[in-house]
Amino acid sequence: MEHDLSPSALAELRRPRPYPAVSVLTPTHRREPDNAGDPVRLRNAVAEAKKQLEQDPAVTRDRRMEVSRELDRALAEVDLTYAEDGLAIFAAPGEHQVWTLARSVPERVVLSDTFLTRNLVAAQAAERPFWVLSVAADRVTLWSGGAGRIVEDRTGGFPMDRPPLDFDPERQERIGDAPSTFRDENTRRFLRDADTEMGRVLRAHPRPLYVTGPQPALSVLEETGNTVRDAVLIPHGGLAHGTAEAVRQAVAPILDDEARGSVEDVARELDAARGRKDFAAGVDELWESAHTGRVRLLAVEENFKVTMREDGEHLLPAHDGDLDAREDIVDEIVEQCLETGADVRFVPDGALGEAEGIAGVLRY
């Protein structure tokens, strides 16, 4: 199952497919007893997708059987042991993908010529993914974090291990002592190589970067590296050989401070926008502004969800299950704002007060 939505992965998902490209979305749960019904819910969703394929006169028998086989293969790959808050299955002729999301999604089946990506995009934005690079003289480890989770990542050749060096008695005799670990040229070269490798990862998967390690190692990277100059440096040794939980504990205070600062920044920007008359709030107003590219900053409370329907010009409240209901309208607004270059921030529930879950600053 896939989790990391890189720009290249998103571009590939949005590529037009031969009809039908099937998107199956279903909510999942991380823990008992809530997850007990997930297997049945998932099977029912896939069965509904096959039913729609059967009933669609635009789908030939051969194409229906091919896509149904891809749905079965995708279903076989799902491991609900690692479920998060939502699941997306994409199937088209000759291909399938399974994505797990750290944000709930509505139960939905869509047949189109592209896959439905807005829920993935919103989940990625809400998760606020980041990298942690843990360095030591003999090992550099990469960790992927977001939404309270950190796991080791083997992207781009990480972890990197430096081969052990042979002891050089003649060199020690000439110098009088072994060189300091981080003044040793082999160590410095090893850390420069790690910096270069991290640069490649960031170009493919841009995220905020945090670097942990003993202070001498961080100093070497600051002096000789390029990638870490925009990173947050955390003087904490031992994590290159440590556990994901140890890394999480080391970066948690910094992440918490940044999150509090971000919420305060958003509040100030929204207050200033009210005074300038470029403030917007509510799903209907922001839906229209998002689609015209007017939103510069979008703030969304983390668990804000609302079901709406379109009456031609505006959005009106609707009930889940209504034929014209838009159960993921918030995710649609998030995706559209990101597409037009807006800064999207997720804030704790209740942080937006009277704005009732969603607010923004307009460009004009």
Side-chain angles (χ1 to χ4, degrees):
M1 298 192 296
E2 303 287 342
H3 178 88
D4 181 18
L5 185 66
S6 67
S8 59
L10 179 59
E12 170 60 21
L13 283 173
R14 286 175 168 169
R15 176 177 57 81
R17 263 77 178 175
Y19 188 85
V22 180
S23 302
V24 179
L25 279 73
T26 183
T28 54
H29 303 82
R30 299 172 187 252
R31 301 175 185 85
E32 297 178 342
D34 298 330
N35 61 6
D38 287 352
V40 173
R41 184 180 298 109
L42 178 58
R43 287 196 297 272
N44 288 344
V46 172
E48 173 62 25
K50 291 182 178 180
K51 179 181 177 182
Q52 291 192 25
L53 287 170
E54 181 79 29
Q55 295 175 343
D56 191 333
V59 181
T60 65
R61 178 180 180 276
D62 288 346
R63 184 62 56 85
R64 181 181 71 248
M65 294 178 64
E66 183 179 5
V67 176
S68 294
R69 284 194 295 270
E70 295 294 344
L71 285 169
D72 288 337
R73 292 178 183 128
L75 186 60
E77 291 178 9
V78 174
D79 186 349
L80 290 174
T81 303
Y82 302 101
E84 297 181 281
D85 301 305
L87 193 73
I89 289 178
F90 300 127
E95 64 172 318
H96 65 270
Q97 297 187 39
V98 180
W99 288 80
T100 177
L101 292 75
R103 179 173 168 85
S104 184
V105 297
E107 198 161 301
R108 192 171 186 186
V109 174
V110 176
L111 275 61
S112 184
D113 58 358
T114 58
F115 294 135
L116 184 67
T117 61
R118 61 173 169 257
N119 305 101
L120 271 71
V121 172
Q124 186 83 350
E127 189 177 17
R128 298 184 292 272
F130 58 88
W131 295 115
V132 180
L133 190 71
S134 295
V135 302
D138 60 344
R139 184 176 175 84
V140 178
T141 309
L142 181 63
W143 310 87
S144 175
R149 56 182 282 280
I150 286 184
V151 295
E152 186 175 355
D153 195 289
R154 295 181 178 270
T155 298
F158 290 102
M160 294 176 61
D161 290 289
R162 194 183 82 172
L165 296 178
D166 294 331
F167 176 64
D168 185 351
E170 292 185 4
R171 185 183 191 282
Q172 182 169 345
E173 184 177 346
R174 290 194 307 271
I175 296 176
D177 194 4
S180 171
T181 301
F182 293 102
R183 290 202 306 269
D184 178 76
E185 183 55 35
N186 290 311
T187 302
R188 295 167 71 87
R189 185 182 304 112
F190 173 67
L191 294 180
R192 284 197 300 269
D193 290 345
D195 177 88
T196 299
E197 200 61 51
M198 190 67 227
R200 295 192 183 100
V201 171
L202 287 172
R203 284 190 291 275
H205 305 270
R207 302 180 183 180
L209 173 63
Y210 302 84
V211 183
T212 72
Q215 185 58 59
L218 301 182
S219 297
V220 170
L221 286 172
E222 282 188 293
E223 177 187 342
T224 65
N226 295 308
T227 302
V228 304
R229 289 176 182 171
D230 295 324
V232 176
L233 305 184
I234 304 172
H236 192 305
L239 298 178
H241 297 272
T243 64
E245 177 59 20
V247 175
R248 188 196 67 78
Q249 291 181 16
V251 301
I254 289 88
L255 295 175
D256 291 344
D257 287 345
E258 290 182 347
R260 283 191 292 271
S262 177
V263 172
E264 292 168 0
D265 290 344
V266 168
R268 282 193 293 269
E269 289 215 43
L270 293 175
D271 285 343
R274 287 186 180 94
R276 297 190 305 265
K277 309 300 183 184
D278 54 7
F279 172 82
V283 172
D284 183 39
E285 185 176 2
L286 282 163
W287 178 75
E288 180 181 357
S289 297
H291 282 271
T292 55
R294 295 183 61 205
V295 181
R296 178 175 65 81
L297 168 68
L298 180 72
V300 185
E301 292 184 357
E302 289 170 347
N303 294 299
F304 178 60
K305 291 283 185 181
V306 64
T307 301
M308 308 292 283
R309 64 180 178 85
E310 191 177 356
D311 73 346
E313 295 184 0
H314 296 284
L315 295 176
L316 301 174
H319 298 288
D320 292 345
D322 288 354
L323 290 178
D324 55 354
R326 311 276 283 272
E327 297 175 46
D328 55 355
I329 193 67
V330 175
D331 286 0
E332 182 177 333
I333 292 171
V334 168
E335 181 187 46
Q336 189 62 38
C337 286
L338 288 168
E339 283 292 294
T340 54
D343 181 12
V344 176
R345 310 276 191 93
F346 283 82
V347 299
D349 294 345
L352 299 180
E354 295 179 358
E356 296 183 352
I358 190 167
V361 178
L362 303 182
R363 292 189 170 103
Y364 55 90

